[in-house]
Each structure stands twice: as C-alpha cells, then as structure tokens.
Amino acid sequence: MRYIHIRRFGVVGASALILSAAVHAQQGGATGGELQDQLESMKHQLAEQKKLLDTLRQALGEQKRGIAELRRAADNAALAGLRGTGPAAQARDAGAGAAPALAQAAPDAQAAPAVRAAPAQAVGRPPASDGRPPEVAPLFEQPGVLTPKGKYVLEPSAQFGYSSSNRVALVGYTIIPALLIGLIDVREIKRNVVTTALTGRLGVSNRLELEMRVPYVYRSDATVSREVFTGTAVDNVFDTSGKGLGDVDLAGRYQINDGGADKPYYVAGLRLKTRTGRDPFEVVTDCVTRCIGTNVTGTGLPRDLPTGSGFYSLQPSLTWLFPSDPAVFFGSVSYLYNVKRHGVNRMVLNGDMEALGTVAPGGVFGFNFGMGLALNEKASLSLGYDHSSIGRTKQNGVTVPGSVRTQLGTLLIGYSYRLSESKTLNISVGAGLTRDTPDVSLSVRLPMTF
C-alpha cells in the first residue's frame, strides 16, 4: 500500500506541476521558449519519478519472492515433522535388515525384526529409500526382508514345542462284530522338543542374501499305556529321549521387484535341508521293554529318538509383502520335496537290521499369511496363520499302510522389540489348530547385525 500511495502521489504531483506551470505562463505572459523549458523540466521530473517507481516495483517483487520462499520452507519443515511417522511409512523408509517374510514370512520361515526408525534427514527432504521391503515382527522361520549389502546377521534362537496325542490299537481279530479276540492297547504320548540354533545371513547385494542354519535338537517322549484285557490296572510308562546335531539348512533369497507404498514386494527363496542329524533308521527299536505280546503287529518304540529327518529336502518358496500404512501384509507359498532313499535298513531288536528298500516321503505343500503392525518406532506386533499339507509316504513304490495325508495348521502371534540399532528381540507363540499339530510352540530369536 505504501508503494501504491507513492506512485499515485508521483503521477498526481507531476500533473499538478505541469498545469501550474501552464497557468503561470498564461498569467505572467511567459514566452513560448520559457514555456517550452518548463515543460521539458516537468518531463524530466516525470522520468525520474518513473525510474523511482520501477525501482520500488522491483524491490516489491523481490520481497514477495522472499515471502514465498519463507512460506515454502515453513511448510516443508512442518511436512518433515510429519513424514514417516506412520508405522508402515517408517518400515518403508527404514530399509535395513529383517522380515515372511515377514518375518519371517515364508513357510518354515520366520516373515523379521521390529520396524526401525528412519535416520534424520534435511528439512523438507524425504528419507532415502533403497527399495527394500519393510520389516515386520517375524512369525515363521525364514525372514521376509533381506540383509543389506555388505552386512551380515548372526541370530541365536531357541524353540520349544509340546504335543500330546492318544492312540487306541486293536491287536487281534474278530469272529463276529461284537467279539474281539486279542488285546486293546491304549497309549497316551507326550512329546517335548527343544531346538536351539545359530543362523548366519550374509547380504551379497541389496537384493540377494545367503543363509546357513545349524540346529541342536533335544527330544523326549513319554508313552503312558495299559493293555486292556490283561488283568492289570497299572499303567506302563516308557520314556525315551534323544539329543544331538540336527539337519543343517542352506538357503538363498532374492528380491524380484521394486515395491513401495501400496505396491507389493516379491522375494523368491530356495532352501536345501541336509541330513546331518541322527537318522530315524539308525536308532534302535525296543521290542523287549515295550512290545505287545509276541509283537505280532511289528516293532515297538525306539529306545533313542532321532534328531534329523533322514532325507535331503529342497524347498522353493515365494514370499510377498504389501505395505499399507499403518500395517504390512505378508504371506508365502512353498513346496518341500523330499529326495527318496534307496537301500534303507532299520535297526531292530538286538542290533539286527531290517531291510526296508526304497523309501520316499511325501512332499509338503505349505502356505502362510499374516499382518504386521508397528506399535511405535521400536515395537511391532504380528498375527499370522501357517498351514502345511504332508503327502503320503511310499515304500518300494507302494503307499505305506496307514500312511495318510496330514494337515498341520498353526495360529501364530509374534512380538518384536528393537533393543539397539543392531539388536532386536523377537518372540512368537504358536497354537496348533489340528490334531497332528504341536499343541503349543514358543520361539525366541535375537538377530544381531554387523
């Protein structure tokens, strides 16, 4: 307004001077030359006023631009204070080390550590992102998020599982449907499994990581049973246990695409399970301490428990993670192929060997899915479901009698807390939803990034 008033005053003042000079010339009888000089003087004054107005106009424009810059800086500062505060946004921008994967977010997988806060950035500048998937509290054994390039993760872990089941065995034959000649054997089996493991992961690139897992297994079984129709009211208890090195795992995972906000990430994986653990066919089966009658139904229970599966296995998988602030959805599908063995022998009785021939365990189709939610910059919570369908076992090309397809369903909840920039505590609890699934499982992991 000040400059507008100056402009108006300059124009009006110059006009008034010209009119005044003209009137004065008429009244005083000024000559034409004098009048011409006065007019030139007024024109010169008008030109000076115009230059002054242009200067003021330029200064006003510069001040307007300065005000606009200050407004943008203030808006950017406010935006920087809000940017990345959502859990999924923090997970999306953090981009350092994991998981479904995830978690681990894949079958046999853990979907990853707690969501980490993004590092401080300049005012008005968004945090840098390396295009890696977000991190979620792991539920499964394989992580869904890859180790950054040049980094390696050392992860000690412990897992406890408990299961119980009842079995009724009819040993004998029937003459008519209402009459049984023989024994009815009722068994209750309680099983405890503790697995400690040391896992190492190496980030070859931001898209590729390699992993090695070395487990140590301790197992104990307690079988409580009573032979009905034998005249005894005393329960028989058969305890057995086993401990030792388990099956070592080797795995590789590769991020297929560049995801982002409202865009899924896809991670392909391949796992090789060796047979370094003690073989189920190497343990001794007891037919003296615990056999029914003359053992007409086959062998009894093992005196020692195996710590491995006895078969090499190969498991391809595909994990997906979908950030949707404030949550991250994840899941995976996989197939575990067990390599069949030829010339298998089982140790029974007093060291005698029983030839089994070729044994081919059924394949395992698995899938899982879940959701991760960041509670704050250090803690996150995940919910998920894991399912495995185990095929029938074949011996010498024929399905083993009594072998059926088994369904394993587990409901899982996981919690993750970031202890420091390099350490995260992960805890998950699983509850079995089908009869063949362990009743409860508890896992504790402590990944450390170097």
Side-chain angles (χ1 to χ4, degrees):
M1 294 297 296
R2 177 184 175 187
Y3 304 117
I4 295 175
H5 286 293
I6 292 174
R7 181 180 179 185
R8 289 179 177 175
F9 172 78
V11 175
V12 173
S15 302
L17 287 175
I18 294 174
L19 292 176
S20 176
V23 171
H24 178 72
Q26 290 178 358
Q27 291 177 352
T31 62
E34 294 175 349
L35 181 60
Q36 184 66 28
D37 292 338
Q38 292 178 358
L39 290 174
E40 290 296 332
S41 177
M42 295 299 104
K43 288 180 180 180
H44 180 70
Q45 292 181 9
L46 285 174
E48 293 294 333
Q49 291 286 341
K50 184 178 180 182
K51 290 181 180 179
L52 178 59
L53 290 174
D54 290 340
T55 301
L56 294 175
R57 189 181 299 112
Q58 183 178 0
L60 179 61
E62 291 178 355
Q63 290 190 2
K64 287 182 177 180
R65 287 191 293 271
I67 293 173
E69 290 292 336
L70 291 175
R71 286 178 178 175
R72 281 195 294 269
D75 292 340
N76 289 336
L79 180 60
L82 296 175
R83 180 181 289 118
T85 57
Q90 289 178 349
R92 182 174 60 251
D93 296 330
L102 236 181
Q104 271 192 350
D108 248 2
Q110 92 184 342
V115 177
R116 299 177 182 171
Q121 300 290 332
V123 173
R125 193 174 297 171
S129 175
D130 57 6
R132 297 171 60 251
E135 300 180 51
V136 293
L139 293 177
F140 315 110
E141 291 187 9
Q142 289 180 353
V145 179
L146 307 183
T147 305
K149 180 180 179 180
K151 299 286 185 178
Y152 63 92
V153 176
L154 192 64
E155 181 185 277
S157 63
Q159 184 178 41
F160 169 75
Y162 171 80
S163 61
S164 62
S165 61
N166 297 323
R167 192 186 80 170
V168 178
L170 303 180
V171 185
Y173 60 94
T174 58
I175 300 177
I176 58 176
L179 177 62
L180 172 67
I181 298 178
L183 301 176
I184 299 178
D185 183 59
V186 181
R187 297 184 184 183
E188 181 181 7
I189 302 175
K190 299 181 182 297
R191 177 166 297 166
N192 298 274
V193 180
V194 178
T195 304
T196 59
L198 185 62
T199 303
R201 289 189 287 272
L202 173 65
V204 179
S205 68
N206 284 334
R207 289 179 176 268
L208 176 65
E209 78 168 7
L210 300 178
E211 177 185 279
M212 181 177 181
R213 179 175 179 267
V214 181
Y216 185 87
V217 180
Y218 173 78
R219 299 178 55 186
S220 66
D221 285 4
T223 304
V224 182
S225 65
R226 178 186 303 179
E227 290 86 7
V228 185
F229 301 150
T230 61
T232 179
V234 179
D235 289 335
N236 295 318
V237 179
F238 182 82
D239 291 320
T240 183
S241 62
K243 60 182 179 180
L245 180 67
D247 292 336
V248 175
D249 288 353
L250 302 174
R253 281 176 285 275
Y254 181 78
Q255 181 181 327
I256 299 175
N257 70 321
D258 290 323
D262 297 327
K263 294 181 181 178
Y265 295 84
Y266 295 101
V267 178
L270 184 64
R271 183 172 70 98
L272 172 65
K273 187 187 70 62
T274 64
R275 37 176 295 195
T276 54
R278 192 178 185 188
D279 205 298
F281 308 107
E282 295 175 351
V283 298
V284 178
T285 301
D286 184 2
C287 282
V288 176
T289 304
R290 186 69 184 87
C291 283
I292 302 173
T294 58
N295 195 32
V296 295
T297 59
T299 61
L301 298 176
R303 305 184 69 174
D304 298 307
L305 295 178
T307 60
S309 68
F311 297 89
Y312 284 100
S313 302
L314 195 64
Q315 182 187 46
S317 63
L318 178 64
T319 302
W320 58 270
L321 299 99
F322 184 77
S324 180
D325 200 2
V328 177
F329 300 96
F330 54 88
S332 68
V333 293
S334 68
Y335 182 78
L336 180 67
Y337 172 74
N338 293 298
V339 180
K340 63 183 178 181
R341 289 179 58 181
H342 302 279
V344 179
N345 296 311
R346 177 171 58 181
M347 186 177 297
V348 296
L349 300 177
N350 296 318
D352 296 336
M353 304 299 293
E354 177 185 1
L356 299 179
T358 301
V359 179
V364 182
F365 171 76
F367 67 89
N368 57 55
F369 57 88
M371 177 190 71
L373 182 65
L375 305 179
N376 53 47
E377 64 178 8
K378 290 188 175 183
S380 62
L381 182 71
S382 293
L383 299 172
Y385 174 77
D386 182 66
H387 192 95
S388 297
S389 179
I390 306 174
R392 299 180 178 182
T393 300
K394 292 186 177 181
Q395 180 180 357
N396 298 321
V398 180
T399 301
V400 175
S403 176
V404 296
R405 178 168 290 275
T406 304
Q407 306 293 337
L408 306 179
T410 307
L411 183 65
L412 296 128
I413 180 172
Y415 174 76
S416 179
Y417 186 81
R418 183 166 58 90
L419 302 175
S420 65
E421 291 297 329
S422 60
K423 295 181 182 179
T424 303
L425 177 64
N426 303 312
I427 300 175
S428 64
V429 179
L433 301 182
T434 60
R435 181 178 295 273
D436 299 305
T437 310
D439 299 333
V440 64
S441 60
L442 174 65
S443 299
V444 179
R445 300 182 178 92
L446 184 65
M448 298 175 288
T449 304
F450 299 93

